[in-house]
Amino acid sequence: VTESRSDLEDLHLYATPREQRFRMFASLEFEGQLYMTPHDFIQAVTSDEPKSAKKWRSLSKQELNQILMETPPVWKGSSKLFRNLNEKGVISYTEYLFLLCILTKPHAGFRIAFNMFDTDGNEMVDKKEFLVLQEIFRKKNEKREKRGDEEKRAMLRLQLYGYHTSTNSVLKTEGEDLVPRSYWDTLRRSTSQALFSDLAERADDISSSLSDTTLLVHFFGKKGKAELNFEDFYRFMDNLQTEVLEIEFLSYSNGMNTISEEDFAHILLRYTNVENTSSYLENMRGSIPEEKGITFDEFRSFFQFLNNLEDFTIAMQMYNFASRSIGQDEFKRAVYVATGVKLSPHLVNTVFKIFDVDRDDQLSYKEFIGIMKDRLNRGFR
């Protein structure tokens, strides 16, 4: 049984941009809830839109069980996990948000993430602790829900979370956020609240009301009894970042060891608010007449720097560079001091030639940071 997107297209009016993107790329449905395959997720973070109009294919219980039976354990993870699983996996909306968080975080943030889940402090995360994620992201979503037809909103909640109406939250509900918070900030702030909640009493209810997913089986085994240590958690996050970068790099390298500086500029300017990218590309072509190419190590190091953009921004403000342009040596030194990432001279020169519009070999800090924040979050602030 298949269901066309057009049948429920009006639900888009009640969805946030992230929800709309999840619904657009998801291809599976089980008991009314939508899921992405690993292939869908990779497409969602590397493509502007699905390559073809998809339909939500309904999974039977038997098909879902077969998919989960073939899910490898976490110690068998690799930087090709999502590509190897391809269509044989299910990822919920909550997990989609979690995976997006991973893609934008520095390695130093991995320990923070693990400690947030490890609510009892035993250096291991179990399935019940991980499922706090479901409640935290659901609660944040309720605060962002658009007003309107309650029936349509209920249908949307069913698609995203697997139930019709709100359940009791493990979070405190007093007061509204005064400023919008990212899902990462919400997670960091809210897990401490969960420590003092009735989560322990409700954990079995939460677990029993949700269908297992590829991620839950990968982390906690087919019976859900395994525990996740930090080393495996770190390796999973690092592998996911590497896998997405490899896919983006390989889509331009055509089997070569490098991509062109122009291709690097194309990738860098994707998902940003830059309207006229051609001016940046023309500027770069005139400034780098001889193509040398960007290696994958250089490519990865730059995106590791982007994941540390917040620390870099703070460092720039402390050194009072925020109000003026900076040169290549200053930029390279500041990146290393703030983030520990060493960028090659050629990579730094390429970045400057892309963004140095007036060709004075100085980088406009404010403009560069603004554009890169959009790129870091792949268009979703």
Side-chain angles (χ1 to χ4, degrees):
V1 178
T2 59
E3 184 170 25
S4 173
R5 295 178 185 279
S6 60
D7 294 339
L8 294 170
E9 195 63 36
D10 57 341
L11 287 187
H12 254 47
L13 299 173
Y14 299 91
T16 65
R18 281 201 189 279
E19 292 168 352
Q20 290 173 358
R21 191 163 183 83
F22 178 82
R23 294 177 76 249
M24 180 166 62
F25 282 89
S27 62
L28 299 176
E29 177 269 328
F30 178 70
E31 295 183 349
Q33 186 173 355
L34 298 183
Y35 294 92
M36 282 181 167
T37 65
H39 177 73
D40 294 336
F41 175 78
I42 291 298
Q43 270 206 322
V45 297
T46 60
S47 305
D48 295 327
E49 56 186 29
K51 292 181 179 178
S52 58
K54 294 183 181 179
K55 294 180 179 180
W56 297 319
R57 183 172 73 86
S58 291
L59 279 179
S60 67
K61 184 69 174 175
Q62 183 178 0
E63 288 175 312
L64 177 61
N65 288 340
Q66 185 61 37
I67 286 173
L68 298 179
M69 282 294 293
E70 296 176 10
T71 300
V74 69
W75 54 271
K76 283 191 175 181
S78 73
S79 62
K80 290 183 170 58
L81 176 68
F82 280 62
R83 282 170 285 186
N84 289 340
L85 288 171
N86 199 20
E87 302 287 354
K88 294 183 177 180
V90 290
I91 298 168
S92 70
Y93 176 65
T94 301
E95 292 167 343
Y96 165 69
L97 296 176
F98 168 62
L99 295 173
L100 288 182
C101 284
I102 290 176
L103 291 179
T104 63
K105 290 303 149 195
H107 287 187
F110 293 177
R111 170 60 78 172
I112 297 171
F114 184 82
N115 289 343
M116 288 190 296
F117 289 121
D118 180 20
T119 54
D120 59 10
N122 70 345
E123 297 295 316
M124 304 287 282
V125 170
D126 60 32
K127 184 178 178 181
K128 292 178 184 178
E129 289 174 319
F130 188 78
L131 285 174
V132 176
L133 182 81
Q134 181 86 7
E135 289 293 287
I136 290 171
F137 284 172
R138 181 188 65 78
K139 186 62 180 176
K140 177 176 176 60
N141 186 69
E142 284 182 354
K143 290 186 178 182
R144 285 186 166 184
E145 279 186 345
K146 298 182 180 180
R147 305 213 177 262
D149 189 327
E150 178 57 36
E151 183 180 348
K152 290 290 198 304
R153 287 165 55 196
M155 291 172 65
L156 189 59
R157 283 196 294 269
L158 173 63
Q159 284 188 347
L160 299 175
Y161 298 100
Y163 46 75
H164 284 284
T165 57
S166 300
T167 59
N168 293 329
S169 175
V170 300
L171 307 181
K172 297 177 182 178
T173 56
E174 297 89 349
E176 293 290 324
D177 288 339
L178 296 179
V179 294
R181 294 178 181 270
S182 70
Y183 281 98
W184 182 264
D185 289 337
T186 302
L187 180 61
R188 182 166 49 190
R189 190 178 62 133
S190 300
T191 39
S192 61
Q193 296 177 4
L195 282 169
F196 307 102
S197 72
D198 60 348
L199 178 63
E201 290 78 9
R202 294 188 58 245
D204 289 329
D205 293 335
I206 295 173
S207 182
S208 63
S209 66
L210 297 173
S211 298
D212 269 341
T213 62
T214 297
L215 211 56
L216 289 175
V217 172
H218 184 61
F219 285 161
F220 307 109
K222 295 175 176 63
K223 295 183 179 179
K225 302 297 184 183
E227 292 184 313
L228 185 66
N229 62 41
F230 176 68
E231 288 72 23
D232 287 336
F233 186 73
Y234 181 100
R235 195 181 308 112
F236 171 81
M237 298 177 83
D238 184 47
N239 281 337
L240 179 63
Q241 288 189 356
T242 301
E243 182 161 13
V244 170
L245 291 177
E246 281 179 355
I247 290 168
E248 291 188 302
F249 185 86
L250 291 171
S251 68
Y252 283 90
S253 68
N254 296 318
M256 305 293 287
N257 292 326
T258 61
I259 60 174
S260 69
E261 287 80 2
E262 185 172 340
D263 287 338
F264 176 68
H266 275 293
I267 296 173
L268 211 54
L269 294 170
R270 287 182 70 189
Y271 310 114
T272 68
N273 56 6
V274 174
E275 293 181 0
N276 185 18
T277 59
S278 59
S279 62
Y280 288 91
L281 297 175
E282 285 296 329
N283 182 61
M284 191 206 65
R285 291 190 196 106
S287 303
I288 307 180
E290 187 174 340
E291 183 179 302
K292 180 180 177 182
I294 303 293
T295 67
F296 180 71
D297 285 341
E298 289 176 317
F299 183 79
R300 189 182 186 203
S301 69
F302 185 80
F303 283 93
Q304 286 177 336
F305 153 64
L306 279 194
N307 286 351
N308 286 274
L309 194 62
E310 187 175 335
D311 291 338
F312 175 75
T313 303
I314 293 171
M316 291 292 90
Q317 291 168 344
M318 290 178 65
Y319 282 102
N320 199 31
F321 289 150
S323 59
R324 63 183 178 88
S325 298
I326 59 175
Q328 292 192 26
D329 288 340
E330 289 174 312
F331 179 82
K332 188 165 58 174
R333 186 168 62 252
V335 167
Y336 179 69
V337 170
T339 69
V341 176
K342 287 186 176 181
L343 301 181
S344 71
H346 175 60
L347 182 66
V348 171
N349 182 56
T350 302
V351 171
F352 267 64
K353 294 302 184 276
I354 295 171
F355 293 99
D356 179 20
V357 179
D358 57 7
R359 302 192 181 188
D360 63 351
D361 207 26
Q362 298 280 307
L363 196 64
S364 171
Y365 161 83
K366 288 184 177 179
E367 182 181 30
F368 171 75
I369 291 295
I371 294 174
M372 288 302 94
K373 279 185 177 178
D374 269 346
R375 180 56 179 85
L376 172 64
N377 292 289
R378 296 175 181 269
F380 291 110
R381 283 293 186 92

